Amino acid sequence: MIRDPQILDALLDSVRRFVRERLVPAENEVAEADEIPESIVQEMRALGLFGMTIPEQHGGLELTMEEEVRVLFELCQTSPAFRSVIGTTVGIGSQGILMDGTPEQQRDWLPRLATGEVIASFALTEPEAGSDAASLRTTAVRDGDHYVVNGSKRFITNAPHAGMFTLMARTDPASKGAGGVSAFIVDAKSPGISFGRNDVKMGQRGAHTCDVFFDNVRVPAANLIGGKEGRGFKTAMKVLDKGRIHIAAVSVGVARRILRDALAYALERKQFGQPICEFQLVQAMLADSQAELYAAECMVVDAARRRDEGLNVSTEASCCKMFATEMAGRVADRAVQILGGSGYLAEFGIERFYRDVRLFRLYEGTTQIQQLIIARNMVREARGG
């Protein structure tokens, strides 16, 4: 749902200009330094990008899901690391508070998240609990007006920069499944929190992840999201449904950039006395990429609209995430093929995107997890459940 087309168009124009004038020229610098300049982060704050999904009453832009994905289509036509700076704050890091938090929790945290003063991080994955999120082992034991948290989290995006964590921990040791999991807001400066070294990844340099360790961390009971135990897994799944549409939109944006660069190369590069875009087998790769990109974009917009209508989009979100992320991988692979030897060289940038997009098929639930969700939902609906 688009509330005001003129305001959205103005925002999209600002984002396009920001990507073109600031982000694209900084791509190589970020890749080499593995760091996004603070000046760019500050400009993101000024544009309101940290508050895209946060309600206006708390200082955000309060974009609908459709508006959000259209912004992402534009913002992500550059290195995915730039989006990652704001991604956990506008998405999985803040949405648990927005969806299930108490009014007090929303009032205390959302305004600071909206301005980018505080960067949010989502602490769910553990060394032994990735796809099987319900088996997490981090514990939160009630002690008076606090919970004492112990455990570790792995692959936590933006953890080195986080001001707060949306943390999933087990509050009921007797319940080994999802029912014993609760969600907490944890101040990242709390005593007892420590961090592993930044992960050295295949791609997405400039986007930082690391392990996070909780050693007798005391968390105020008032920071239990929603004020009730046992709801954490449900909160996480609701957050991830939205996050999957978000990542699908990111995949569309990056694939647009990759295909545009591949087409530009095919128009200029000559073999046998003519541009390679005249060769039918190159045209086939371009056409397949364009068709898949168009299909993914349509899926994402449709799922976003359905979510804005208040419909259950568990299946649609997983379909989008699965198709769009796999699509981005295929587009990147074809782009390397179109560029040939040049596609394998760092100076052309395509090899960087090829590595960057590989992560999309892993986080927010792997492709295989999306297949399971889609099929299980199909079976449940067929049985009338």
Side-chain angles (χ1 to χ4, degrees):
M1 177 179 65
I2 296 175
R3 297 169 301 169
D4 189 320
Q6 289 185 325
I7 291 177
L8 179 61
D9 285 344
L11 176 60
L12 294 177
D13 285 342
S14 296
V15 172
R16 286 190 199 102
R17 186 166 57 252
F18 180 55
V19 169
R20 182 177 64 250
E21 296 177 0
R22 293 290 288 130
L23 302 189
V24 172
E27 287 172 351
N28 289 336
E29 175 190 351
V30 169
E32 292 173 5
D34 191 22
E35 195 74 45
I36 295 175
E38 179 57 33
S39 60
I40 287 179
V41 177
Q42 188 56 44
E43 289 180 61
M44 289 180 168
R45 293 188 179 102
L47 279 171
L49 296 180
F50 282 91
M52 284 200 300
T53 59
I54 293 173
E56 291 179 354
Q57 69 185 87
H58 296 298
L61 299 180
E62 199 173 345
L63 299 187
T64 66
M65 191 77 239
E66 182 178 356
E67 291 168 339
E68 178 184 344
V69 301
R70 292 188 182 279
V71 170
L72 291 169
F73 289 164
E74 303 298 335
L75 179 64
C76 295
Q77 294 184 48
T78 182
S79 168
F82 293 115
R83 193 280 323 177
S84 188
V85 173
I86 66 166
T88 49
T89 300
V90 305
I92 55 179
S94 68
Q95 292 304 295
I97 302 172
L98 181 57
M99 293 176 183
D100 290 341
T102 64
E104 293 77 17
Q105 290 166 351
Q106 293 174 357
R107 185 182 63 245
D108 289 346
W109 288 98
L110 292 181
R112 288 183 286 165
L113 294 173
T115 62
E117 172 192 345
V118 172
I119 291 178
S121 200
F122 186 66
L124 171 63
T125 302
E126 298 181 0
E128 301 297 327
S131 297
D132 183 14
S135 68
L136 60 82
R137 298 180 180 179
T138 295
T139 60
V141 178
R142 185 70 182 253
D143 180 25
D145 292 333
H146 289 77
Y147 285 86
V148 179
V149 177
N150 284 281
S152 62
K153 299 292 181 176
R154 175 158 290 178
F155 309 138
I156 305 304
T157 302
N158 283 335
H161 316 292
M164 61 80 67
F165 294 100
T166 295
L167 171 75
M168 300 296 154
R170 188 168 299 284
T171 48
D172 183 1
S175 175
K176 300 302 181 184
V181 176
S182 301
F184 295 89
I185 302 167
V186 181
D187 189 323
K189 297 183 177 64
S190 301
I193 296 178
S194 60
F195 303 90
R197 66 181 180 86
N198 285 3
D199 297 319
V200 180
K201 306 186 301 298
M202 177 191 292
Q204 298 210 19
R205 289 176 60 81
H208 299 148
T209 66
C210 72
D211 289 356
V212 184
F213 305 100
F214 298 85
D215 182 11
N216 290 322
V217 177
R218 297 186 66 81
V219 178
N223 285 17
L224 173 66
I225 293 180
K228 292 186 178 180
E229 294 184 1
R231 294 185 174 182
F233 193 76
K234 290 182 179 179
T235 296
M237 293 306 101
K238 287 193 289 186
V239 167
L240 287 172
D241 273 350
K242 185 177 189 300
R244 285 163 181 159
I245 300 174
H246 178 105
I247 293 299
V250 171
S251 300
V252 168
V254 177
R256 280 185 180 179
R257 165 66 184 282
I258 294 170
L259 184 54
R260 185 170 67 244
D261 286 358
L263 176 59
Y265 183 89
L267 288 165
E268 295 295 327
R269 173 66 167 161
K270 291 185 177 181
Q271 288 286 284
F272 304 102
Q274 59 183 320
I276 64 171
C277 65
E278 301 294 336
F279 301 151
Q280 289 183 336
L281 293 179
V282 171
Q283 290 177 351
M285 289 188 282
L286 292 170
D288 285 350
S289 296
Q290 179 63 33
E292 290 189 37
L293 177 55
Y294 176 55
E297 181 176 331
C298 290
M299 289 175 69
V300 171
V301 172
D302 178 70
R305 287 173 176 168
R306 288 171 183 262
R307 188 180 185 278
D308 284 339
E309 292 170 4
L311 301 176
N312 183 334
V313 292
S314 173
T315 299
E316 289 81 1
S318 287
C319 286
C320 283
K321 203 277 180 179
M322 179 179 72
F323 185 83
T325 58
E326 294 283 345
M327 173 277 299
R330 290 191 292 270
V331 170
D333 185 74
R334 294 187 194 111
V336 172
Q337 199 71 12
I338 290 168
L339 269 69
S342 297
Y344 204 68
L345 300 181
E347 66 182 280
F348 285 85
I350 291 296
E351 65 83 29
R352 185 184 71 244
F353 281 116
Y354 181 82
R355 290 181 288 107
D356 286 347
V357 301
R358 186 60 182 84
L359 182 59
F360 295 161
R361 293 153 61 188
L362 300 177
Y363 59 13
E364 309 277 345
T366 64
T367 292
Q368 288 66 42
I369 289 296
Q370 308 313 317
Q371 290 172 321
L372 292 176
I373 292 170
I374 295 164
R376 287 172 181 172
N377 287 350
M378 291 171 65
V379 170
R380 186 183 302 114
E381 290 171 11
R383 289 174 171 168

